[in-house]
Every structure is written in structure tokens, then in C-alpha cells.
Amino acid sequence: MVPLMVQLGLDARWNVIKGNDEFFAVTKKFHNALHGREEAITRDEYALFLEVNRKNLDEMKLHGDIMFIHDPQPVALVEKRGELGGKWAWRCHIDVSNPQAEVWEFLRKFVIKYDGAAFSAPSFAQTIPIRQFMVSPSIDPLSDKNRELPQETIDSVLAKYNIPADKPIITQVSRFDRLKDPVGVIQAFDLVKKSIDCQLVMAGGTATDDPESEVVLKEVRERAEANPDIHILLIPPGSDIEINALQRASTVILQKSIKEGFGLTVSEALWKAKPVVASAVGGITLQVKNKFTGLLSHGIEGTAYDLKQLLSNPEYAKWLGENGREHVRQNFLITRHIKEYLLMFLALYHPEETIYL
Ligand code: UDP
């Protein structure tokens, strides 16, 4: 989005805060707690969170008319707004519909110092005395992750990961995180396998700010070991063409999340006109309109049932995928996203006026 904004005449830039392993352990706890999981966070951990935010404030050269801060990790940068001036907006990318009260209360003290906050779905709106904006995320159709690929590229990625093309492929692309329910994915697949010969691809990476991913990956590997039709792929960061190729090679795309801020992987799959089975949670429900742009599933058995329905009914699956692509074209492409951000920036300067997005 930054290059497009620059082309539109905005002097936009993107800064990234720095953190160590201890900081990411705390922010991952925040992340889980905001998604409703019980986490015990100590006073020292809250103090560390603030210390790292303050250290970043000292080291980063922040200046601009509008500071647009993303997610909980750097939320406390707003402490310097008095000194730096300008308008400040906070972007929340996660599902905060049912947060653990203590963590939300802690973060809320910072959130209310902003001029406005943007959430991905209406159900995430909060009781806060600042303006709230509903802005869904988006995908860039021309990026390596989403652009059309020649069949040879798709074939070579399948060959690289030893995935035969002679059986239907069910794929979930996700970080190895419990909230993506990777073990539930395997359980649903086991149920499907009882009646349909197919294979499962679970493609994911480990993120530097996600200390839990290695443990989860180990659990998933142990659970999948006995089954040659399950491919657990550890994909290095930045392998966008490979992820694109795996999505395009899939018969059905699965996103069995337990909580989901938006679920970009769903937009990515729908844009490729793939039939999607996804849990009816968070921002996924904006994208998958049940039985029209995909199937919204509930639980392991429900997911298996929906997967079987799509694998055994290719015409229906194709129709859902085509509707899904159109839905993404109309709602979840980067151009709509930029327009809404620009209107939001404008609205920050006109606090009393109604701005229609
Ligand atoms: N992704 C990736 N490699 C991986 C796993 C995920 O490139 O190994 C990408 C995926 O294609 C999507 C993003 O990371 O663009 C994940 O976004 P999403 O909203 O689905 O989930 P999050 O990880 O933000 O919870």
C-alpha cells in the first residue's frame, strides 16, 4: 500500500519496531488474551512491554502529520503524541470481540489517546470515547502472492515438496498457531479420508514474533507422521510464489481457525476462485457467505462434512469459487482499502463531520 500511496502523492513510509524474545513472549500472550484465552500476565511483563515501547520511541525517528500505528505491540508509542503532534490512528488487526478484561483495560488506556481506531469487522467495535472506523483488510491482486502463475511454476512447486498431483488436495496455509487449529485440521482430514482418497497440505512458517510456533509445529508433525498423504511444509518467509502455487494447486482450501481477525488466506484463496471451507469466526464471515462464496463450517465433523461435499461435487465447488472471486473483487482488493484509509485520514481532520466511506 505504501508505494501506491506514494504514487497518489502522499509522503508515506513504514517503520517497524524492534523487540527481543522476551517482548514477543509478552505480546503473544496479549494476542492470545485479546482473542479470549486466559493468560496470566505479570507486573514485570507489563513493565517490559512499556520499556520496549519507550526504547523504540527513543530510537525511531518518528515524524509525520498522521501516525498510523498497527496492532497492540506498538500501541504505547502514542505516549509521545504531545511532543510529536499530528493526528494519531490505531489499527487493530485482531478479533477483539471478547477480550480478556485485564489486558484490554491495560491497552485501552493507550487506545483512547488516539484520535481514531480502525477495526476489521463490526463485531470488534469497542466502547471507547474516540472515533471508530470499520476497514477490512485486502489483498493485492498483482503481488507475487496473488498474481496468475504459469502451470509449470505450479507443477514445479508440487514437485519440490513431493506432492503428487493425482489426488485431490486440501490445503490450509497458516502460521503454526493453536488459534488456526492445526490438529483439528488433521482430525477433519482423517474423517474425510475414510470415504474419499485425498491429501492434505499444511503450509506454514514460523514468525519471529511468535514464540509458540515451534512447539505447535512439533505437535502437528507428531500427529501427522503416520500418514503419507499429509504434507506438513515449513515455508520460509517471503516465499510468496510458492504459497500462491500451493493455493492454485489445491482442490479445496480450508481455514479452520478458532479466532480470526480477518483471515487474508481466505481472500487469497477466493481470489484464485478456489472453493473454501472455513470456520464461521471473526472476519472470515465477511468473506465467506455460506453456500454462496464458500462453506462456513462448525467443528471437526462439520468441517469434514463440508470438505466431502465439495470434493464430491466439483460443479458446486466451482460455482462457489467463482462467486468468491467476484466477492473479493468487489470488497477486498487493495484499491478499496486505500480509498478507505484516505477517507479515514481526512475524517481525523474533521472530527465533527460525518464521512461516508
Ligand atoms: N503466510 C505466508 N506463509 C506462511 C503462512 C502464511 O506467506 O507460511 C501468509 C498468508 O498467505 C497470508 C498471511 O501470511 O497472506 C496470513 O494472514 P492471515 O490474515 O490469514 O493470518 P495471520 O497470520 O495474520 O493470523
Side-chain angles (χ1 to χ4, degrees):
M1 291 178 89
V2 170
L4 285 181
M5 286 187 183
V6 170
Q7 282 179 19
L8 290 171
L10 277 180
D11 179 9
R13 63 194 74 176
W14 181 266
N15 290 323
V16 182
I17 59 163
K18 293 201 183 88
N20 54 17
D21 290 350
E22 289 77 31
F23 176 72
F24 292 136
V26 177
T27 55
K28 182 71 197 223
K29 277 191 176 183
F30 280 18
H31 182 87
N32 289 335
L34 292 171
H35 277 130
R37 198 164 99 180
E38 278 305 313
E39 292 278 359
I41 297 163
T42 64
R43 288 169 80 122
D44 286 352
E45 287 174 325
Y46 284 119
L48 174 77
F49 175 82
L50 290 178
E51 187 189 314
V52 173
N53 266 264
R54 285 172 190 153
K55 193 157 180 278
N56 275 286
L57 272 177
D58 291 341
E59 287 171 5
M60 288 164 96
K61 292 192 172 38
L62 289 180
H63 64 94
D65 298 314
I66 297 168
M67 303 290 186
F68 194 20
I69 309 296
H70 288 246
D71 264 342
Q73 291 94 325
V75 70
L77 296 182
V78 74
E79 281 195 327
K80 221 175 184 174
R81 80 166 286 175
E83 190 180 321
L84 293 169
K87 301 287 179 193
W88 288 65
W90 184 62
R91 181 25 155 163
C92 181
H93 288 278
I94 55 188
D95 176 348
V96 283
S97 54
N98 186 26
Q100 187 182 315
E102 181 193 287
V103 172
W104 176 246
E105 279 308 312
F106 173 81
L107 294 172
R108 189 179 182 278
K109 290 193 194 80
F110 298 100
V111 171
I112 60 176
K113 293 186 177 142
Y114 287 81
D115 296 290
F119 296 92
S120 297
S123 58
F124 306 162
Q126 297 293 322
T127 315
I128 39 177
I130 59 170
R131 295 181 93 182
Q132 295 182 67
F133 301 86
M134 217 298 279
V135 184
S136 303
S138 65
I139 58 164
D140 177 356
L142 304 178
S143 64
D144 283 349
K145 182 72 67 62
N146 296 304
R147 67 180 165 84
E148 300 271 334
L149 290 179
Q151 190 59 41
E152 305 88 77
T153 309
I154 300 171
D155 294 344
S156 72
V157 171
L158 289 185
K160 174 176 171 185
Y161 290 108
N162 294 316
I163 304 167
D166 59 353
K167 282 186 204 179
I169 300 172
I170 301 167
T171 300
Q172 175 159 301
V173 174
S174 277
R175 290 177 296 104
F176 291 98
D177 183 320
R178 292 208 170 84
L179 291 174
K180 310 288 183 184
D181 198 14
V183 172
V185 169
I186 296 175
Q187 288 170 322
F189 173 73
D190 286 344
L191 292 177
V192 175
K193 266 295 262 191
K194 285 186 180 165
S195 51
I196 300 177
D197 191 18
C198 56
Q199 45 190 342
L200 174 67
V201 171
M202 296 179 75
T206 53
T208 47
D209 65 348
D210 185 356
E212 290 176 334
S213 56
E214 300 216 350
V215 184
V216 176
L217 175 60
K218 190 162 166 280
E219 265 173 47
V220 171
R221 282 202 164 127
E222 280 167 12
R223 184 68 179 69
E225 207 164 39
N227 192 338
D229 283 320
I230 302 182
H231 309 272
I232 309 290
L233 313 181
L234 188 60
I235 312 267
S239 310
D240 289 1
I241 290 181
E242 290 197 358
I243 298 283
N244 185 345
L246 290 168
Q247 289 167 328
R248 287 183 188 279
S250 304
T251 319
V252 180
I253 302 265
L254 176 60
Q255 192 59 51
K256 205 194 160 309
S257 304
I258 292 166
K259 287 273 182 174
E260 196 61 77
F262 182 68
L264 283 169
T265 49
V266 173
S267 280
E268 289 161 11
L270 295 177
W271 180 246
K272 293 162 186 113
K274 292 292 165 181
V276 168
V277 173
S279 315
V281 296
I284 287 176
T285 56
L286 300 174
Q287 304 177 70
V288 176
K289 300 295 169 194
N290 195 32
K291 300 184 185 171
F292 184 64
T293 65
L295 297 179
L296 284 177
S297 63
H298 299 266
I300 290 164
E301 284 174 10
T303 303
Y305 179 85
D306 288 345
L307 288 169
K308 283 195 278 190
Q309 208 187 341
L310 296 188
L311 290 174
S312 53
N313 195 341
E315 294 249 318
Y316 180 47
K318 186 165 180 276
W319 180 77
L320 291 176
E322 281 165 3
N323 292 343
R325 180 176 162 91
E326 186 56 23
H327 187 53
V328 171
R329 198 179 69 76
Q330 290 182 17
N331 298 287
F332 303 116
L333 295 185
I334 191 169
T335 36
R336 182 274 312 158
H337 198 173
I338 289 189
K339 186 179 82 179
E340 289 184 353
Y341 274 175
L342 294 180
L343 282 167
M344 187 185 83
F345 296 156
L346 202 61
L348 296 177
Y349 285 93
H350 300 272
E352 306 305 327
E353 289 170 48
T354 305
I355 305 260
Y356 293 98
L357 294 183

